[in-house]
Amino acid sequence: MTDILVLNGPNLNFLGVREPHLYGTQTLEDIEKMCRDAVLPYGLSLDFRQSNHEGELVEWIQQAHPSRGGAVRGVVINAAAYTHTSVAIHDALKLLDGVPIIEVHLTDTSTREPFRQVSYIKPLAIQTVMGQGANGYVIALERLFAVLGVSKG
Ligand code: DHK
């Protein structure tokens, strides 16, 4: 069981190598460390995961549901390319009724190709953080802490 679930979609395991002019030079491991450092003072547990497979992401979201023994309090998700295509991930996130979800993108997708203009995550998210690079994950987590009313110490 985890308090905070951070999910990452396809190709994000190539951060640092992949189009660094767009996605930056930090690796996913760097981002995980930033997230762990952000969560630590709050005494919350963090599950940080990445998958290139839509079904695996759906499965992890389902596992966060109370009927599967989950007790997740907040979700940060960068569904990467699945953001723009996945009704399955949208439907799975909808199962987590009442759990605050924050959508993150390293890049500002609103200024990119037309096929990136649609987000199936956005309607379920309390906030979308875009174009802030790796720091967007920390911004998203801090918003979650505020919404959850948790404090340091
Ligand atoms: C990451 C991806 O892999 C793309 O498919 C999305 C997103 C944007 C990002 O900016 O983090 O379109």
Side-chain angles (χ1 to χ4, degrees):
M1 281 201 290
T2 191
D3 295 313
I4 307 291
L5 181 60
V6 179
L7 289 178
N8 295 281
N11 302 306
L12 294 175
N13 52 320
F14 260 73
L15 287 178
V17 173
R18 174 193 185 201
E19 300 177 272
H21 60 289
L22 280 180
Y23 293 103
T25 53
Q26 280 154 306
T27 65
L28 195 62
E29 289 70 29
D30 294 333
I31 295 175
E32 177 171 0
K33 179 161 187 338
M34 289 166 69
C35 290
R36 294 204 176 279
D37 288 348
V39 166
L40 193 65
Y42 292 88
L44 298 169
S45 57
L46 174 77
D47 209 349
F48 187 99
R49 295 177 178 223
Q50 187 275 333
S51 179
N52 294 323
H53 303 280
E54 186 176 25
E56 189 163 40
L57 291 160
V58 167
E59 193 57 46
W60 288 340
I61 295 164
Q62 289 185 1
Q63 285 168 11
H65 191 269
S67 70
R68 295 282 200 91
V72 77
R73 296 174 66 184
V75 175
V76 172
I77 181 164
N78 183 353
Y82 289 139
T83 303
H84 318 298
T85 63
S86 182
V87 177
I89 292 174
H90 171 100
D91 286 349
L93 288 170
K94 220 169 184 179
L95 294 170
L96 302 180
D97 197 24
V99 174
I101 295 165
I102 305 204
E103 177 185 28
V104 173
H105 299 293
L106 295 140
T107 64
D108 181 355
T109 53
S110 71
T111 62
R112 298 184 63 195
E113 302 96 323
F115 59 82
R116 295 185 206 275
Q117 304 306 315
V118 172
S119 169
Y120 286 85
I121 311 297
K122 194 181 175 84
L124 303 175
I126 59 167
Q127 190 176 335
T128 298
V129 181
M130 295 196 303
Q132 305 293 322
N135 199 46
Y137 285 74
V138 176
I139 294 168
L141 286 169
E142 282 169 355
R143 173 88 165 107
L144 267 190
F145 303 148
V147 168
L148 295 174
V150 294
S151 46
K152 293 183 184 181

